[in-house]
Amino acid sequence: KQCLEHLEHEAFSVSSSDILAEGKAASHGNAAVAIWLGILIDGIPESLVIGMLAISTQGISLAFIAGVFLANMPEAMSSAVSMRQHGMSLKKIYLMWGSICFLTGVGAYVGSMLFSGEPTGSAFYLVLAIEGAAAGAMLTMIAETMLPEAYEQGGSVVGLSTLGGFLAALLVKVL
């Protein structure tokens, strides 16, 4: 009984705007970590393909390198800035991104050892499945974390920017 009386005495009111502000602040930090995790999940199969392409007779195309760079660099930059804004230390941010660089480097090595440069038969279909998993992980991360956060921070220009990015990727592929 004394406990309930004490709680009633200490009670304070919380408005719905306080709750929304708290949820909004917490969601941005989680979005940055989700982007990091998405890049990691996408980077592992992507690096296996990079390793396989590195030993192929055709080599790695400029379009593929540009696509990987254009996809991952802005994501990493926006995520790192968001992590820093939410109080994450620079050391932890560098360790997180350094771990992705290390793991994708290991993945490229494993890809070059595991697959031939020109896969045939079932190995060809396995490579297609790995590429599909990488694309699915990227699409999931974009749909769940990046686009909602980008729209919230940038407004309606995000749609046109996204279209511009797809057209740029298409142009790099065609040329």
Side-chain angles (χ1 to χ4, degrees), residues 31-56:
V33 174
I35 291 170
W36 173 84
L37 184 60
I39 291 174
L40 178 65
I41 292 169
D42 171 59
I44 292 171
E46 192 174 77
S47 65
L48 292 172
V49 172
I50 289 171
M52 182 200 66
L53 290 175
I55 61 168
S56 74

Side-chain angles (χ1 to χ4, degrees), residues 7-95:
L7 284 175
E8 287 177 8
H9 177 68
E10 295 293 323
F12 56 91
S13 64
V14 177
S15 70
S16 60
S17 63
D18 292 336
I19 294 170
L20 289 174
E22 182 69 26
K24 191 175 183 181
S27 70
H28 286 303
N30 293 338
V33 174
I35 291 170
W36 173 84
L37 184 60
I39 291 174
L40 178 65
I41 292 169
D42 171 59
I44 292 171
E46 192 174 77
S47 65
L48 292 172
V49 172
I50 289 171
M52 182 200 66
L53 290 175
I55 61 168
S56 74
T57 56
Q58 297 173 348
I60 301 176
S61 72
L62 177 61
F64 185 77
I65 292 173
V68 169
F69 179 78
L70 290 173
N72 292 331
M73 189 60 150
E75 294 165 0
M77 289 172 54
S78 69
S79 180
V81 167
S82 183
M83 288 173 179
R84 189 67 181 137
Q85 287 173 342
H86 288 90
M88 193 176 286
S89 71
L90 283 175
K91 181 179 179 182
K92 187 171 182 179
I93 293 169
Y94 282 125
L95 282 172

Side-chain angles (χ1 to χ4, degrees), residues 86-110:
H86 288 90
M88 193 176 286
S89 71
L90 283 175
K91 181 179 179 182
K92 187 171 182 179
I93 293 169
Y94 282 125
L95 282 172
M96 289 175 75
W97 294 114
S99 68
I100 287 180
C101 291
F102 176 75
L103 289 173
T104 54
V106 169
Y109 175 75
V110 169

